[in-house]
Amino acid sequence: MNSATSPLRLLRPAIVTALLLVSDERGAALAQGTALGGSIAIGSDYTFRGVSQTLGSEALQGSVDLTLASGFHAGVWASNVDFVPDDEPDDGARLEVDMSLGYAANLGDDWSIDIGLTRYSFPGTDAGVGYDYTELLATAVYGGRYTATVGLSGDVDGTGAASRFYSLGTEFELPAGLGLAAALGHYDLSDAYGSRYSYVEASLSRQVGNAGLTVTYVDTSGSADSIYGGRVTGPRLVLTLNVDW
């Protein structure tokens, strides 16, 4: 996938800043308002916008995130993937690595926004297979609980075609330390695959210290089958254990 500006080039200032914070004796002063963290997770499946990216198999995932006091943030996230069944020609895709750079800001007491670029890359894919692409994502948050997201790409899945993504989500705190979240999404891939589909997610989670357990129900509309096939679409339950650091 070609992009006007390389994500690595965009991330360079944040990476340099992070190295300075770690190595310089003045790091404590520079680090005020800066957060560096991440997570490790293992799940019974990896779904992206309602569709399994591992043919319904287990996934091991990890992330590193840097947030600056100015509102800029950068992150790297990775997971194993598997798009092709054993009885079909292999595409070489084993790993997904996503790099993101964005800016978040508060708009008054109730509203906030987060705008950024995410680069989805799949290193190791065979020659002629180009899944990599870049997406612009904009999210508005109300009351820290309700979210609306729009995503735009000009080269989804390396096809050279445009895509449009929309989602609405919410989350609530329940008694006994439980959390409830739900999201409804619509993915317009008509330029690339001649179809579009919707999906729904609902999850129940429990956090204890830095560890969390989440059960998520995912389902897609029938039109998703025409794009991806029924094996990776439709209703499913996903169990995920994560540890934050």
Side-chain angles (χ1 to χ4, degrees):
M1 198 74 63
N2 293 326
S3 176
T5 305
S6 166
L8 288 175
R9 187 174 180 182
L10 291 171
L11 286 170
R12 191 176 299 153
I15 294 172
V16 171
T17 301
L19 293 174
L20 287 173
L21 295 178
V22 172
S23 62
D24 196 351
E25 294 179 357
R26 295 168 294 175
L30 292 172
Q32 186 174 4
T34 298
L36 179 65
S39 67
I40 298 175
I42 184 169
S44 61
D45 197 351
Y46 161 32
T47 61
F48 177 72
R49 297 175 182 171
V51 178
S52 176
Q53 309 295 290
T54 54
L55 295 175
S57 298
E58 299 79 8
L60 179 63
Q61 302 165 344
S63 67
V64 177
D65 300 289
L66 174 68
T67 303
L68 305 180
S70 61
F72 285 98
H73 57 86
V76 178
W77 180 92
S79 175
N80 61 289
V81 294
D82 189 3
F83 301 129
V84 180
D86 292 340
D87 57 352
E88 296 183 12
D90 190 13
D91 60 0
R94 301 288 183 272
L95 179 67
E96 176 182 345
V97 179
D98 301 344
M99 295 178 290
S100 62
L101 178 69
Y103 177 77
N106 293 322
L107 302 177
D109 295 333
D110 295 324
W111 288 92
S112 63
I113 59 168
D114 192 336
I115 301 175
L117 289 172
T118 297
R119 177 68 172 179
Y120 306 93
S121 60
F122 302 85
T125 51
D126 293 343
V129 177
Y131 294 142
D132 300 3
Y133 69 103
T134 301
E135 186 175 43
L136 173 66
L137 290 162
T139 299
V141 183
Y142 177 74
R145 175 175 293 175
Y146 304 98
T147 62
T149 299
V150 175
L152 301 172
S153 176
D155 190 19
V156 63
D157 296 339
T159 62
S163 66
R164 292 156 292 276
F165 167 69
Y166 315 93
S167 73
L168 296 172
T170 187
E171 58 183 29
F172 298 91
E173 292 184 3
L174 301 179
L178 295 174
L180 178 66
L184 176 65
H186 183 74
Y187 205 9
D188 185 351
L189 297 167
S190 53
D191 291 350
Y193 303 116
S195 186
R196 62 192 74 186
Y197 73 96
S198 299
Y199 70 92
V200 63
E201 293 181 350
S203 64
L204 186 66
S205 61
R206 179 72 162 88
Q207 192 79 16
V208 179
N210 292 338
L213 182 65
T214 303
V215 179
T216 304
Y217 171 80
V218 184
D219 197 5
T220 55
S221 62
S223 52
D225 296 357
S226 64
I227 303 173
Y228 300 107
R231 179 168 179 173
V232 296
T233 58
R236 65 192 61 230
L237 280 177
V238 181
L239 182 65
T240 305
L241 174 64
N242 71 280
V243 178
D244 300 328
W245 59 271

